[in-house]
């Protein structure tokens, strides 16, 4: 299955290149499903729907969940998951290369809409993004999930016990006193996003120039932080399955800097208005996407080595939304 996954990634990359030329492209849905509680909807029968996602485990799982739901509803679904980075996914959506994806309210509010101050309440953050993005870009947000994949700084349990660092304020104090003791592995995107390290440093009075940051691929951060050989701390996504598997501890964001990152459906307004059935079908699915459930699905991929499409399909079957074919 890993060979199939690699081929899918190559096809998705090629599709994004074609999208830059103004062409629609995409692959087929990787696994067949049949109807469960989701049955063929006459309004969606044969409707072409291209589903996108970003290029990390959770996003691929969420993308496949949409695909399997839409297949069961009777749509003609194209797979354009695994697009590299938030901005590329957003550009593909704005240009009409994809019709629907799950994205995160914090990313919408800060990265896409350019706000610097997050809205503390999850629902209020969603409502603010939904209103502003439709008005500014004709983008509809719908079916918000309880899961909140916020950014966080993590450390190993033994490092937390040794240093006494339990919060980001503790981390800032340790860094000021001994920068080497607070060496931090930072993911590439987190290192430059204003809702990432630069903004966190401002909020907690961290001297960015003194901070010993090692910018690495996101996948490297978790094991490096657990081993504590390269880094005592690391930037993580709060719902990543490797956090419990590696016994990492999330530092408390005691100044409430990080925005809420609830997953929600994102669609262009003309698509959402033409096909209201999509949000109706996806809403009960989104309700079941809690931090606990998505962390477990992520763990099955990143720790057990399962394919994200299999994990997504099996979860949809277990919840009764679809059946295996």
């Amino acid at each position: 299955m890993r060979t199939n996954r690699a081929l899918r990634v190559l096809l998705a990359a090629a599709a994004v290149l074609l999208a830059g030329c103004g062409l629609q492209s995409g692959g087929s849905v990787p696994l067949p499903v049949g109807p469960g509680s989701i049955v063929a909807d006459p309004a969606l029968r044969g409707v072409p729907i291209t589903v996108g996602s970003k290029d990390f485990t959770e996003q691929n799982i969420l993308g496949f969940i949409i695909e399997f739901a839409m297949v069961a509803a009777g749509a003609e679904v194209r797979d354009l998951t695994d697009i590299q980075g938030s901005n590329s996914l957003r550009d593909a959506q704005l240009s009409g290369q994809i019709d629907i994806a799950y994205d995160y309210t914090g990313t919408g509010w800060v990265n896409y809409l350019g706000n610097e101050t997050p809205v503390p309440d999850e629902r209020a953050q969603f409502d603010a993004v939904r209103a502003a993005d439709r008005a500014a870009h004709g983008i509809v947000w719908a079916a918000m999930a309880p899961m909140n994949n916020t950014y966080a700084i993590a450390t190993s349990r033994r490092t937390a016990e040794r240093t006494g660092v339990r919060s980001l304020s503790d981390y800032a104090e340790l860094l000021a006193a001994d920068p080497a003791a607070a060496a931090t592995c930072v993911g590439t995107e987190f290192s430059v996003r204003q809702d990432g390290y630069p903004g966190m440093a401002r909020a907690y009075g961290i001297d960015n120039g003194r901070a010993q940051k090692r910018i690495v691929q996101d996948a490297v951060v978790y094991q490096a932080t657990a081993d504590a050989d390269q880094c005592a701390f690391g930037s993580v996504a709060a719902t990543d399955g490797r956090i419990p598997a590696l016994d990492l501890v999330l530092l408390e964001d005691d100044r409430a800097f990080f925005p809420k990152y609830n997953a929600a459906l994102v669609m262009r307004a003309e698509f959402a208005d033409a096909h209201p059935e999509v949000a109706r079908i996806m809403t009960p699915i989104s309700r079941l996407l809690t931090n606990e459930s998505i962390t477990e699905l992520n763990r099955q991929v990143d720790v057990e080595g399962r394919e994200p499409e299999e994990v997504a399909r099996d979860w949809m079957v277990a919840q009764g939304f679809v059946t295996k074919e």
Side-chain angles (χ1 to χ4, degrees):
M1 289 300 294
R2 288 292 170 188
T3 301
N4 293 341
R5 172 68 175 157
L7 178 59
R8 253 193 2 89
V9 171
L10 289 174
L11 290 173
V16 174
L17 290 175
L18 288 172
C21 301
L23 301 176
Q24 285 278 11
S25 186
S28 59
V29 177
L31 295 173
V33 297
S37 61
I38 301 172
V39 296
D41 189 311
L44 289 177
R45 191 181 303 276
V47 172
I49 298 177
T50 301
V51 179
S53 82
K54 305 174 196 180
D55 60 340
F56 57 90
T57 294
E58 180 171 290
Q59 273 283 296
N60 283 315
I61 291 170
L62 293 174
F64 291 132
I65 284 173
I66 299 172
E67 290 184 5
F68 295 138
M70 292 300 99
V71 167
E76 293 292 331
V77 179
R78 289 180 290 190
D79 171 30
L80 198 54
T81 54
D82 220 57
I83 296 172
Q84 186 174 8
S86 297
N87 290 337
S88 295
L89 177 70
R90 176 71 166 189
D91 290 344
Q93 191 141 47
L94 290 173
S95 66
Q97 300 304 313
I98 63 172
D99 298 308
I100 184 171
Y102 271 108
D103 213 327
Y104 302 101
T105 55
T107 302
W109 186 246
V110 176
N111 283 67
Y112 304 154
L113 293 167
N115 297 288
E116 294 185 0
T117 304
V119 180
D121 177 74
E122 289 184 354
R123 186 72 204 186
Q125 177 76 95
F126 170 78
D127 289 341
V129 171
R130 180 174 60 179
D133 213 8
R134 178 149 194 165
H137 304 113
I139 294 293
V140 170
W141 293 70
M144 185 184 81
M147 58 171 284
N148 174 22
N149 188 13
T150 187
Y151 277 127
I153 298 295
T155 189
S156 68
R157 192 170 300 279
R158 65 181 182 277
T159 298
E161 292 172 352
R162 176 176 56 81
T163 61
V165 172
R166 299 291 181 177
S167 68
L168 288 178
S169 291
D170 295 338
Y171 166 79
E173 289 178 8
L174 177 64
L175 193 153
D178 185 359
T184 306
C185 281
V186 179
T188 306
E189 205 171 308
F190 184 82
S191 69
V192 296
R193 288 171 59 133
Q194 290 310 303
D195 55 345
Y197 204 95
M200 183 190 76
R202 287 194 300 272
Y204 283 91
I206 293 169
D207 185 343
N208 217 348
R210 293 193 71 202
Q212 293 197 12
K213 302 190 298 293
R214 295 186 174 94
I215 299 174
V216 298
Q217 292 182 347
D218 289 327
V220 174
V221 172
Y222 296 83
Q223 191 65 57
T225 304
D227 294 341
D229 52 357
Q230 300 180 55
C231 305
F233 302 89
S235 63
V236 299
T239 56
D240 196 286
R242 288 165 290 191
I243 293 170
L246 294 170
D247 199 26
L248 297 178
V249 176
L250 300 181
L251 302 187
E252 179 190 358
D253 180 14
D254 50 310
R255 295 188 183 179
F257 163 72
F258 290 118
K260 307 299 184 185
Y261 290 85
N262 293 87
L265 292 181
V266 182
M267 302 169 279
R268 295 186 317 283
E270 59 267 30
F271 176 85
D273 293 344
H275 305 293
E277 303 80 15
V278 171
R280 176 181 57 78
I281 290 168
M282 292 301 302
T283 294
I285 299 174
S286 288
R287 289 193 187 118
L288 298 182
L289 292 171
T290 63
N291 274 24
E292 292 74 19
S293 63
I294 197 66
T295 298
E296 170 57 21
L297 299 184
N298 291 337
R299 186 196 64 79
Q300 291 180 33
V301 175
D302 290 327
V303 178
E304 294 182 5
R306 298 187 66 202
E307 296 290 347
E309 56 264 41
E310 290 181 344
V311 169
R313 192 264 318 266
D314 288 354
W315 182 80
M316 290 285 283
V317 170
Q319 304 305 318
F321 293 120
V322 303
T323 54
K324 286 186 180 180
E325 282 199 342

